[in-house]
Amino acid sequence: MRRFGADGLAQLLKDVIATEQFLQIFTDGCTMMLVGWMVTRARGDRDHLPPPFLQGPREAIDLMRELRDLARRQTEDTSRIAERIRIIREEAKQQTELLSLIEREQAIREQGAS
């Protein structure tokens, strides 16, 4: 296991927390906890709530399923985007290498013509 100093650990945590995926997971987790708290609260306050809230737990579960499905789709989309970016980088690298070869060939021809 790698050992970090206090500064290294703090930097590692800062880097992890700053990622978009971590923020998305954290936001989704907070949302699910809030919905769970609201459902639990609604169950305890059924006598004081208006009738539409009597179906709250079922709707909350449906909402959590929707959030889970959306998160799954977002993860899939993100992986597809990452793959396409990787392909674009590789193609750009190949094009750059090809242009370098062309420039080298032109420089050699110019030197031979002089």
Side-chain angles (χ1 to χ4, degrees):
M1 186 167 132
R2 221 162 91 180
R3 293 188 180 202
F4 296 100
D7 293 335
L9 182 60
Q11 184 63 37
L12 177 68
L13 288 174
K14 199 164 43 168
D15 292 343
V16 169
I17 291 171
T19 62
E20 186 175 334
Q21 290 176 340
F22 176 82
L23 293 175
Q24 184 66 41
I25 291 168
F26 179 77
T27 305
D28 291 345
C30 290
T31 303
M32 290 177 70
M33 287 174 52
L34 179 64
V35 169
W37 175 80
M38 290 169 50
V39 168
T40 305
R41 177 86 181 166
R43 285 183 182 160
D45 294 342
R46 280 190 182 163
D47 298 335
H48 307 290
L49 294 174
F53 284 97
L54 292 176
Q55 297 176 1
R58 189 177 321 128
E59 291 171 357
I61 290 172
D62 290 343
L63 181 62
M64 286 191 292
R65 284 185 183 136
E66 272 185 59
L67 286 172
R68 184 188 64 212
D69 291 341
L70 286 172
R72 186 178 298 131
R73 277 188 255 143
Q74 181 183 7
T75 302
E76 291 169 358
D77 291 343
T78 303
S79 65
R80 279 191 224 114
I81 290 169
E83 178 64 21
R84 289 186 177 112
I85 288 172
R86 186 187 62 76
I87 291 169
I88 290 170
R89 280 186 187 148
E90 287 177 5
E91 288 179 3
K93 197 177 194 180
Q94 290 174 354
Q95 293 293 325
T96 303
E97 290 173 1
L98 182 62
L99 287 173
S100 298
L101 291 173
I102 292 171
E103 288 175 353
R104 242 186 261 135
E105 184 67 32
Q106 288 176 344
I108 292 170
R109 287 184 183 177
E110 287 176 8
Q111 287 177 354
S114 319

